[in-house]
Amino acid sequence: MSEDDKTYLSGEQAAASKPTGPLEIRPGTVLKGTYRIEAELGSGGMGTVFRATHIGLDKTMAVKVLARRAISTPDSLARFEREAKVAGKVSHPAMTDVIDFGVEQGTPYIVMEYVSGVELADLIERGGPMSPRRAVAVMRQIVSLLRAAHALGIVHRDLKPANVKVLQETPEDSQIFVKVLDFGVAKVVGDISGQLTSEGMLVGTPAYMAPEQITGHPIDGRTDLYSAGLMFHEMLSGVRAFKGETIARILHAQMNDPPPALTVPVPDIVRQTLQKFCEKRPEDRFQDAGEADRALMACEDVLRPPSVNLAANAVLPTPSEQDTGGKTITYQPKKTEGAGTSGVAEPQSAERKPSSGVSVSPSLVTEGTLIREEPAPVSTPGPASVSAPVATPPVPAPVRTPAPPPMVEPRKASGSNKALPLLGVAVLLVLVGVAGGVWAWKSGRLFGGAVAEPAKDLAPSTQTGSPVATGPGTPSEPVAEQGTAPTEPEPQNGTSPTEPGTEANPPVAEAEGAQGSEPSTEDNTPEEGSPGETQNPEQTPPPEEDQLAPGCYTVVVAFESSRGPTGAFGPWEAVSEDSRAPVNCDAVPKGRGTPPEGVFDHWPDSPSEQVLYTYRPLSFQPQKKGAPNTRRTVVRVHTRVSGGAP
Ligand SMILES: Nc1ncnc2c1ncn2[C@@H]1O[C@H](COP(=O)(O)OP(=O)(O)OP(=O)(O)O)[C@@H](O)[C@H]1O
């Protein structure tokens, strides 16, 4: 890491050169009688990090010993302690846990979870640009953590690729897991109200500092979103957005220049999302991590392989949009109050993606809940052919596997061909004697068995569609293979083009036409055990118990909805939650249009837990003039827990 990558501390205190305080920390030093320092991992602008062993637990940890310049007054020491405690409360799979805090002979230190892996900075340096899908997967984890931390009032203030460790990655684009380092550390050396401390100290890393951070204006969560945006840029482009020979040049560019245009091809929505992260004025950026996460989810939907593409966060398209297939998800420009010439729009609408070449069932679009590129499996008759719940990345949710298609014909034919000569022989044998006749009868039964066999082979494994995956974005694929159902336009009166129970008509979570009638989850539940139903998400066998240990996991929601009325939903609310899975409903964001496909942090009782939410639109604006506007549709939301270890 070059020097200008280091956290920068300006002011008189920065002149202090010794990285640590009076206590000389070196391998062999034991802190608090508990932590034995093993080896230096590296040092940065704010101190030195050591690998250490918790003697009692015989567990490897990391100890960051703060530089004297970072903690220079009794007041800043107290603040350091306070912030370290708050940081210790952030529980998130992407958080590097803060375990302890101490001051030994005037030298403050923080004990953290030891994170092995490779720094994102190194990964980019070595591997160049990351695929948009992979970059979005990383961003989603970071932004999800920011959401949790900002909710506790903690701003990182020094987000950069060197502070993100990639724990594990696989060739699968979305199988990448990260942890963010230094949460709660950067903040403690600064003043709560801003970057300029009472000692006139500026904290941050120039290449990733937001303009308001540079100018000493108040900072908040949007400051972190700016830095995250520059990381996003770096992941996509392979190079740092703001470079310069001097810190002054970098800071000047941060204040005045937009990040260089991406030279790698990315979908428009990714470009627009990136731009929104990197707006110079905080009021032009995403206003909070939740909003940023929703935009990233929309990116993820576009980037998902065609087989599982969906736009779970799509805001209900207007009727005219419903008729125009084959467009990329776009943002509608929306000016923030007081915003100048942002030019960056909010994620307002989603249209169908052309590249997949798979059309979207308008009926699904009109529900404003789940836009899938795969219609319900046509081979599954009856009400149970309701749309499979498709996982919202980064973790797959249950995917209902379609019923085995009647594909045994070819083998049957082949079996018959074989049977003909054998039958001839059998006839001969019958002529020869009773014993031959008996043998021929047995052979006939054998042929029957041979025909039956392929059906077993071809039956899709509902087990392998197990919704629990090990992390972001491992969508279960099987759904896509089946979808060839006609995508007939939704009639304007909101009725289904085909009758319930027919192939192309998924079972209706219907939209009681009854005015004001209260929808219930039951109403929308396909009949269990109905013919053709291959896998109800609630019947999905639990994953192997050893796949996940109890703890904090990310809960990813996949919507399952059925045909509803055509029109626009007003605000919706979460009206119930599964009693088995107590999740704070307040945590569920409220909004208009499509219910959130959000990722909720959740502490499941068991790895195999499933959570069920029910969403109810509070109002409904029918397309057809004069139609009752009290029609409601229930959307069922299935979640599966997944994610990293606690
Ligand atoms: N919790 C941790 N587990 C494992 N390694 C860590 C941990 N925290 C920091 N490190 C490693 O220790 C080294 C020093 O980290 P530190 O944060 O002090 O410096 P930096 O990130 O290089 O610079 P700066 O903090 O000034 O930006 C880095 O290589 C970092 O990856």
Side-chain angles (χ1 to χ4, degrees):
M1 184 193 291
S2 65
E3 274 308 301
D4 62 344
D5 278 342
K6 302 277 187 199
T7 301
Y8 179 74
L9 299 162
S10 76
E12 286 172 26
Q13 280 67 30
S17 55
K18 269 198 148 211
T20 59
L23 174 71
E24 200 182 337
I25 308 257
R26 59 158 80 100
T29 304
V30 175
L31 298 170
K32 250 189 195 176
T34 305
Y35 308 104
R36 188 180 56 239
I37 300 295
E38 304 290 355
E40 183 176 322
L41 292 171
S43 65
M46 290 193 300
T48 305
V49 179
F50 296 93
R51 182 165 52 77
T53 302
H54 186 295
I55 297 169
L57 298 174
D58 193 21
K59 189 173 178 185
T60 302
M61 295 187 170
V63 173
K64 183 158 199 164
V65 179
L66 290 201
R68 204 170 38 184
R69 63 191 172 206
I71 300 290
S72 54
T73 66
D75 179 49
S76 53
L77 243 188
R79 195 167 60 230
F80 171 53
E81 180 174 359
R82 211 166 44 236
E83 296 292 340
K85 280 180 181 162
V86 181
K89 291 194 171 73
V90 180
S91 180
H92 188 279
M95 174 76 181
T96 301
D97 290 335
V98 174
I99 292 161
D100 203 353
F101 155 86
V103 181
E104 194 109 341
Q105 294 177 35
T107 302
Y109 60 87
I110 292 179
V111 182
M112 301 170 283
E113 165 191 9
Y114 177 82
V115 182
S116 55
V118 54
E119 285 175 18
L120 181 60
D122 291 339
L123 197 74
I124 298 171
E125 200 175 316
R126 286 205 307 262
M130 292 164 69
S131 74
R133 213 173 149 222
R134 185 168 283 228
V136 168
V138 170
M139 282 298 287
R140 285 213 54 204
Q141 292 168 66
I142 293 170
V143 166
S144 171
L145 169 59
L146 291 179
R147 201 170 171 178
H150 293 168
L152 290 172
I154 305 180
V155 181
H156 190 292
R157 302 207 298 190
D158 197 18
L159 279 177
K160 56 184 173 181
N163 275 338
V164 175
K165 274 213 165 179
V166 179
L167 312 182
Q168 175 192 336
E169 53 164 349
T170 70
E172 166 58 40
D173 266 346
S174 50
Q175 290 271 24
I176 182 168
F177 302 94
V178 300
K179 272 188 189 276
V180 175
L181 303 175
D182 271 358
F183 237 117
V185 177
K187 168 115 187 185
V188 299
V189 295
D191 190 65
I192 290 184
S193 60
Q195 282 304 117
L196 281 171
T197 67
S198 51
E199 300 90 21
M201 190 185 287
L202 181 67
V203 184
T205 302
Y208 304 92
M209 280 169 89
E212 68 272 19
Q213 206 170 0
I214 295 167
T215 54
H217 283 95
I219 61 165
D220 57 27
R222 294 172 298 180
T223 310
D224 280 347
L225 292 176
Y226 180 88
S227 305
L230 293 185
M231 285 203 285
F232 194 18
H233 188 284
E234 196 163 326
M235 284 187 266
L236 292 167
S237 66
V239 290
R240 185 174 309 156
F242 294 111
K243 290 188 278 195
E245 282 160 18
T246 63
I247 287 173
R249 271 174 200 262
I250 297 173
L251 295 179
H252 183 271
Q254 289 284 27
M255 295 296 303
N256 301 294
D257 303 340
L262 291 177
T263 50
V264 291
V266 296
D268 280 352
I269 190 170
V270 175
R271 203 177 296 275
Q272 289 159 349
T273 300
L274 172 64
Q275 192 182 339
K276 183 112 178 157
F277 268 106
C278 299
E279 288 291 346
K280 301 292 182 199
R281 296 160 39 117
E283 57 268 36
D284 293 339
R285 287 174 214 146
F286 293 115
Q287 292 306 291
D288 55 49
E291 190 189 353
D293 194 36
R294 287 190 286 281
L296 288 168
M297 273 190 259
C299 293
E300 209 165 41
D301 289 337
V302 168
L303 295 166
R304 186 176 292 123
S307 56
V308 286
N309 205 335
L310 64 109
N313 195 40
V315 173
L316 192 67
T318 61
S320 61
E321 284 170 326
Q322 289 171 30
D323 296 332
T324 54
K327 288 188 186 166
T328 331
I329 291 177
T330 56
Y331 282 173
Q332 297 280 340
K334 179 188 166 194
K335 280 212 167 169
T336 321
E337 202 183 338
T341 53
S342 157
V344 180
E346 302 260 333
Q348 290 292 307
S349 70
E351 297 167 90
R352 282 155 275 175
K353 183 177 174 249
S355 56
S356 69
V358 187
S359 57
V360 178
S361 163
S363 65
L364 290 170
V365 173
T366 56
E367 287 172 325
T369 53
L370 169 64
I371 299 180
R372 302 190 322 149
E373 301 227 342
E374 318 79 26
V378 290
S379 59
T380 308
S385 61
V386 65
S387 322
V390 178
T392 305
V395 185
V399 173
R400 181 172 304 168
T401 316
M407 290 176 66
V408 293
E409 282 308 316
R411 292 221 200 169
K412 193 173 179 180
S414 130
S416 300
N417 288 343
K418 276 185 203 160
L420 284 173
L422 288 173
L423 281 172
V425 172
V427 169
L428 277 176
L429 287 173
V430 167
L431 292 175
V432 171
V434 175
V438 170
W439 180 88
W441 175 78
K442 283 188 176 174
S443 298
R445 287 186 61 173
L446 184 64
F447 302 149
V451 169
E453 197 64 29
K456 196 169 146 200
D457 291 346
L458 291 166
S461 164
T462 52
Q463 307 284 333
T464 54
S466 175
V468 172
T470 52
T474 44
S476 307
E477 310 279 339
V479 179
E481 303 303 321
Q482 309 299 329
T484 51
T487 54
E488 294 161 21
E490 186 81 1
Q492 291 298 298
N493 63 7
T495 55
S496 302
T498 50
E499 288 305 306
T502 61
E503 285 186 348
N505 193 23
V508 182
E510 191 69 57
E512 278 82 296
Q515 304 203 357
S517 66
E518 202 69 359
S520 76
T521 303
E522 291 309 311
D523 294 335
N524 302 285
T525 310
E527 267 178 44
E528 291 183 9
S530 298
E533 172 145 18
T534 57
Q535 188 70 51
N536 183 313
E538 290 179 86
Q539 296 168 336
T540 304
E544 293 298 318
E545 285 295 316
D546 59 5
Q547 279 183 315
L548 293 170
C552 174
Y553 294 97
T554 302
V555 176
V556 174
V557 179
F559 295 97
E560 178 193 324
S561 178
S562 55
R563 213 170 277 276
T566 303
F569 292 129
W572 42 264
E573 64 176 3
V575 292
S576 72
E577 60 189 61
D578 196 303
S579 58
R580 290 169 302 163
V583 175
N584 182 5
C585 246
D586 294 344
V588 178
K590 293 181 165 53
R592 295 184 70 87
T594 308
E597 68 299 329
V599 178
F600 309 116
D601 294 330
H602 175 56
W603 286 257
D605 293 332
S606 81
S608 57
E609 179 187 287
Q610 271 198 138
V611 186
L612 173 67
Y613 294 95
T614 301
Y615 287 94
R616 177 179 61 196
L618 295 178
S619 66
F620 172 66
Q621 187 65 49
Q623 267 185 28
K624 202 176 174 188
K625 233 181 162 184
N629 66 357
T630 50
R631 211 166 177 189
R632 290 171 173 174
T633 294
V634 169
V635 179
R636 300 187 68 198
V637 183
H638 300 272
T639 65
R640 289 299 270 189
V641 292
S642 184

